[in-house]
Amino acid sequence: MDRTARHSETRYGNRPTMKDVAARAGVGLKTVSRVVNSEPGVTPDTERRVQEAIEALGFRRNDSARVLRKGRTASIGLVLEDLADPFYGPLSRAVEEVARAHGALLINGSSAEDPEREQELVLALCARRVDGLIVIPAGDDHRYLEPEIKAGIATVFVDRPAGHVDVDMVLSDSFGGSREGVAHLIAHGHRRIGFIGDQPRIHTATERLRGYHAAMADAGITVEDGWVSLGSTEPERVRTAVEEMLNGPEPVTALFAGNNRVTVTVVRVLAERERPVALVGFDDIELADLLGITVISQDAAAVGRTAAEHLFRRLDGADHATARVELPTTLIPRGSGELPPA
């Protein structure tokens, strides 16, 4: 675990209210309400003072229709990449269990790997006065969150690092897991190993590719251009990449799949072929044990639970240095990764 020093200027969970704005601006609560809701009846000078107080305090309007307890919202926002991805099911459940143990409601949504949608969803949750956020980011610049963090919203990033903001992060060891998986193929006699991964802008994709290159370099193997393919995880793209690596005069004898969606398509393509090809996938997939698929497994539930626990420690007032937690992965040999070169 690495830790970089940072001390919060604002106590997490202690967010400014309209009463705070009214006191700072020297006006009544109703006046603040009129300004916040763009209602008439406020002089320009008074409106300016209220707006200055809002900006200074980092106040955000509460869009929640009800409160859950003691007059304030007890809710956590979880922004996922794709609700349909099997990896996020146990992660989300683990977050919800921790939230329930703390008497909080979990609200989640999907960014669909779209940075603009991520920002829109995160700010919508902030406007509804969630107490904390757990974010699996789609983008790489999260400075839009700085006012919310300063206003007291506890924030933890999961699976991928935050961009340009200093917050707690909980990640899996994508580099180490990929390196171990490729080394496993090399140990079973493979020298021509293909890597099929996700979009190169995604942190986990680049880390897993880095692990692949490290394992190949450790074994003194020069990687050829045709052995690496990054891009969409859509089945058509993955199928084309697999077929290109397996066809030709010197095909690869083994494949490393960069995530669970890639692995599913690779398994389907290999099932259509007579010649055996070794396979290791990053992330476990449903029925992988029955199909004999060797995988690098992430503990999604541990990732979610760890992130939620960090979040609630912040909400309880913890003011320690920002934490970056990297959880280990596990190689699970089931047969496909132990096949020798054909």
Side-chain angles (χ1 to χ4, degrees):
M1 180 191 302
D2 292 303
R3 295 184 182 273
T4 56
R6 179 183 72 84
H7 293 282
S8 173
E9 297 177 359
T10 304
R11 180 184 173 90
Y12 287 95
N14 186 20
R15 304 182 61 196
T17 66
M18 283 203 292
K19 287 184 180 180
D20 298 324
V21 174
R24 186 180 182 95
V27 299
L29 190 60
K30 182 60 177 176
T31 300
V32 176
S33 177
R34 287 185 177 131
V35 172
V36 168
N37 294 293
S38 301
E39 297 175 357
V42 183
T43 66
D45 180 67
T46 300
E47 182 177 1
R48 176 186 56 78
R49 297 205 325 268
V50 172
Q51 291 290 4
E52 287 176 351
I54 287 172
E55 183 175 352
L57 293 172
F59 170 79
R60 294 294 180 271
R61 186 177 68 180
N62 185 354
D63 288 345
S64 298
R66 297 171 62 98
V67 293
L68 297 179
R69 63 175 185 184
K70 297 181 181 179
R72 68 186 297 271
T73 306
S75 58
I76 300 302
L78 172 61
V79 179
L80 302 167
E81 180 238 319
D82 183 357
L83 291 171
D85 190 321
F87 175 74
Y88 295 120
L91 186 153
S92 179
R93 284 195 299 273
V95 172
E96 185 172 20
E97 287 171 4
V98 176
R100 287 183 63 190
H102 286 80
L105 174 70
L106 177 67
I107 306 169
N108 60 31
S110 171
S111 69
E113 203 64 75
D114 181 346
E116 291 185 5
R117 184 167 171 177
E118 171 211 304
Q119 180 173 342
E120 179 182 298
L121 180 56
V122 167
L123 293 181
L125 289 167
C126 292
R128 283 157 179 77
R129 305 280 287 188
V130 295
D131 297 289
L133 288 167
I134 295 176
V135 181
I136 291 93
D140 56 9
D141 188 344
H142 299 95
R143 282 174 286 192
Y144 72 84
L145 257 174
E146 285 180 340
E148 314 302 333
I149 295 169
K150 289 179 179 178
I153 294 185
T155 306
V156 178
F157 273 62
V158 174
D159 194 42
R160 308 165 189 174
H164 307 292
V165 291
D166 190 20
V167 296
D168 293 333
M169 288 178 276
V170 179
L171 316 172
S172 290
D173 185 8
S174 285
F175 169 77
S178 178
R179 188 176 192 172
E180 182 180 17
V182 175
H184 185 72
L185 290 168
I186 293 170
H188 285 81
H190 296 277
R191 306 282 295 179
R192 302 179 63 83
I193 302 170
F195 178 95
I196 303 176
D198 208 333
Q199 304 277 5
R201 64 180 174 80
I202 298 174
H203 170 79
T204 49
T206 58
E207 282 296 284
R208 292 167 195 175
L209 177 60
R210 193 167 68 89
Y212 163 83
H213 279 294
M216 298 292 270
D218 290 343
I221 301 171
T222 300
V223 176
E224 297 184 11
D225 292 339
W227 296 357
V228 173
S229 178
L230 297 180
S232 164
T233 58
E234 290 298 316
E236 295 80 6
R237 201 285 300 182
V238 175
R239 173 176 287 274
T240 299
V242 173
E243 290 174 345
E244 287 177 351
M245 291 183 188
L246 296 180
N247 296 330
E250 293 186 327
V252 299
T253 63
L255 291 167
F256 186 87
N259 67 27
N260 52 9
R261 285 167 289 187
V262 172
T263 302
V264 169
T265 300
V266 172
V267 169
R268 286 176 174 156
V269 175
L270 295 184
E272 300 168 2
R273 305 179 71 89
E274 294 182 4
R275 186 180 67 189
V277 177
L279 169 66
V280 174
F282 202 111
D283 288 338
D284 216 342
I285 61 172
E286 189 174 4
L287 302 182
D289 54 340
L290 297 178
L291 296 172
I293 308 301
T294 298
V295 299
I296 299 297
S297 177
Q298 302 182 81
D299 190 339
V303 171
R305 184 168 53 254
T306 302
E309 289 169 349
H310 272 269
L311 187 75
F312 279 98
R313 278 199 288 272
R314 291 293 187 190
L315 289 171
D316 288 341
D319 193 27
H320 54 70
T322 301
R324 177 185 172 114
V325 180
E326 197 162 73
L327 300 179
T329 57
T330 304
L331 171 68
I332 305 178
R334 296 186 176 125
S336 69
E338 294 70 55
L339 293 173

